[in-house]
Amino acid sequence: KAKSAVDPRFCLKMRMKIIGILLEKIYISSDTYVQRSRILITKGEEYRELGIESLDECIQCLCDAILLLVSFIFNDALPLLFSPL
């Protein structure tokens, strides 16, 4: 994530567009919890860079990432832990 001196707003806009594509078209299946959570965290970091006016969006992205991981733990990982050998 290198900073660009050319036009930082354009770079931010393009990064957010790429993040949107990843979330909407690539990491959509139920087995991509971790990847989707990482992208949501990155999206939250991008919002944080925009300043205090984007703090709500930043927090929402982080909450979504946490909920995805909690959902994975309670829906997918727990049956594996308690399955018979």
Side-chain angles (χ1 to χ4, degrees):
K1 181 166 107 170
K3 299 293 179 190
S4 174
V6 177
D7 188 357
R9 290 170 296 174
F10 176 74
C11 291
L12 176 65
K13 182 179 177 182
M14 294 311 298
R15 285 194 306 265
M16 292 299 275
K17 189 171 187 171
I18 291 168
I19 288 170
I21 291 169
L22 288 172
L23 290 173
E24 293 171 11
K25 298 188 179 196
I26 305 298
Y27 296 126
I28 55 174
S29 65
S30 63
D31 62 341
T32 59
Y33 288 106
V34 175
Q35 295 90 343
R36 190 167 174 82
S37 292
R38 286 182 181 158
I39 296 297
L40 285 166
I41 291 168
T42 301
K43 186 175 182 180
E45 290 171 348
E46 296 294 337
Y47 276 125
R48 185 183 63 201
E49 288 183 20
L50 293 174
I52 193 82
E53 60 273 359
S54 298
L55 190 59
D56 288 339
E57 291 89 350
C58 174
I59 292 171
Q60 186 60 51
C61 289
L62 297 176
C63 288
D64 291 345
I66 291 168
L67 287 174
L68 270 173
L69 293 175
V70 167
S71 174
F72 168 71
I73 290 169
F74 287 109
N75 291 332
D76 291 341
L78 282 181
L80 296 174
L81 293 174
F82 296 108
S83 64
L85 299 174

